[in-house]
Structures are given as structure tokens and as C-alpha cells.
Amino acid sequence: MASPADASSPAQAGFWFDPLCPWAWMTSRWVREVEQVRDVQVEWHVMSLAYLNEGRELPEEYVELMKRAWGPVRVVIAAREKAGQEVVLPLYEALGRRIHNEGRGNDPEALTAIIAEALEEVGLPADLADAAGSTDYDEALKASHHAGMDQVGMEVGTPVISVDGVAFFGPVVSPAPKGDAAGKLWDGVLLVAGTDGFFELKRTRTRDPQFD
């Protein structure tokens, strides 16, 4: 597979995220930087950690987090269904800044306000917030989830990235590389992920997500 830097047409990438995941948010900041230094077109999609973890044995505090995790992904899917694919990224970014950069995602009581503020920022109808507690869009949510996760398997989480038929989980990185460093990581990740039979490269995390 040709590298993005050498391709004659833009690489087509998909990025699957859950708005509550800080590591997916970190990776999304890197991918946004990659868009500036490599010829790649990224389409943004929802996966759901709550759906992924249904029926699994989880620590009690994570069970509570997963209950809250349904709301944001449902709202993003509802917004996509009502206003089109182009609203997914700006709504994700409006949610992500509040949840992660502002550190409000750790407060369960703040999530309703975060969703309302994000919808207002993007210019979407306030009543889309009602989707957070509704199952009306769950089939569309599950379809979006499987479009990404089925490419990599259910033993990983978010983010999932797919580039011209090559899909992978991650990379998990903090802080998000910028400029030429972002492009070099992109090239390296595609090279590794595109190697037949390659499955895993990992080391213990020694730092928390560092948001700009």
C-alpha cells in the first residue's frame, strides 16, 4: 500500500470514537493534525463502549460509567440521522472539549449540560438531547459501531481507524504529536498495520492523556 505522502489521490480513512473515551479524544487530536500534513480524508463515526461491554463482567465504577456512556453516542447518531454525516465531527469536537479539555466528563451531573451546550454550539436543535435517554436510534448506533469494530474484532475498544482497507485499534498516544511528528507516526502506523499477520505492539502507559 502506498504511503499517504506518495499517493496520487487522498487516502480514505474512517475514525470510530466514543465521546467519553479520553484516549480516543487524544488520538483524534493527532488525526486532525495528520489531516494537515498528509493527503488523507477522514470520515468520523460513532462506536459505543456501552454496547461493546454489554454482558461483560466489569468493575462497579466502570458499570456506572457505561450507563452514562449511552447518552452522548445516541445524541451524535441522532444528529447524524437528522442533519447528515457532516455534523458528526463538529459535534464530537464540541462534546470532547467540554468532557476532556475542560475536565467536566468526570461529573455525572454535568453530562446533560454538556450535551445541551454542544448542540447549541454546532447549531443543532436542542431537542436532539432527548435521544440520550431513548433507544430510538440504537439500531443505527449499532450499525455504525459494527462498521468499525467488525474490521478489528471485539477485543479492542476505541479509537478504531480504517485506511484504504487496513484497520487497527489506536494508536494510544499522549500528548498528540504535531506537525512532521504527526505525519511520521501516521506513516509508521500504516506500515505496521498493513503488514500481513501483524496483530499487536504495546507497552505499559506511563502518563495520562495530556490535553492541549
Side-chain angles (χ1 to χ4, degrees):
M1 182 175 64
S3 72
D6 299 331
S8 58
S9 59
Q12 302 299 309
F15 187 106
W16 279 263
F17 63 89
D18 186 305
L20 283 191
C21 179
W23 292 104
W25 179 246
M26 287 298 313
T27 306
S28 76
R29 301 307 85 199
W30 164 66
V31 169
R32 293 289 279 155
E33 189 74 13
V34 169
E35 290 179 300
Q36 306 305 311
V37 297
R38 292 293 184 268
D39 193 12
V40 57
Q41 294 180 344
V42 183
E43 190 168 80
W44 301 81
H45 307 278
V46 163
M47 64 80 68
S48 171
L49 289 171
Y51 176 48
L52 179 69
N53 285 290
E54 275 190 327
R56 295 182 179 181
E57 292 291 332
L58 302 170
E60 184 176 344
E61 63 273 15
Y62 201 72
V63 170
E64 293 305 311
L65 178 63
M66 290 301 95
K67 290 178 182 177
R68 301 200 305 273
W70 280 109
V73 291
R74 283 170 167 165
V75 170
V76 175
I77 286 292
R80 188 199 70 183
E81 296 294 286
K82 295 291 186 180
Q85 174 64 36
E86 63 272 14
V87 305
V88 172
L89 174 60
L91 182 54
Y92 176 37
E93 295 196 318
L95 290 166
R97 286 195 306 273
R98 290 168 171 83
I99 292 170
H100 304 296
N101 293 67
E102 297 176 12
R104 296 166 61 191
N106 294 326
D107 179 4
E109 303 302 320
L111 200 52
T112 299
I114 288 170
I115 290 171
E117 293 168 17
L119 289 170
E120 182 178 11
E121 178 183 321
V122 180
L124 291 168
D127 62 5
L128 284 173
D130 296 341
S134 169
T135 60
D136 288 352
Y137 297 94
D138 280 7
E139 289 307 309
L141 170 58
K142 292 174 183 179
S144 177
H145 176 95
H146 281 287
M149 299 305 297
D150 286 357
Q151 298 183 64
V152 293
M154 301 301 168
E155 296 179 359
V156 301
T158 179
V160 165
I161 299 174
S162 176
V163 188
D164 290 338
V166 174
F168 49 90
F169 162 74
V172 175
V173 60
S174 177
K178 292 181 171 55
D180 189 51
K184 287 181 177 178
L185 178 57
W186 178 258
D187 296 342
V189 167
L190 294 193
L191 176 63
V192 169
T195 300
D196 182 51
F198 179 84
F199 298 108
E200 189 170 354
L201 180 67
K202 190 172 183 177
R203 57 187 172 190
T204 301
R205 299 174 194 170
T206 59
R207 64 183 67 160
D208 293 328
Q210 298 178 10
F211 308 119
D212 293 334

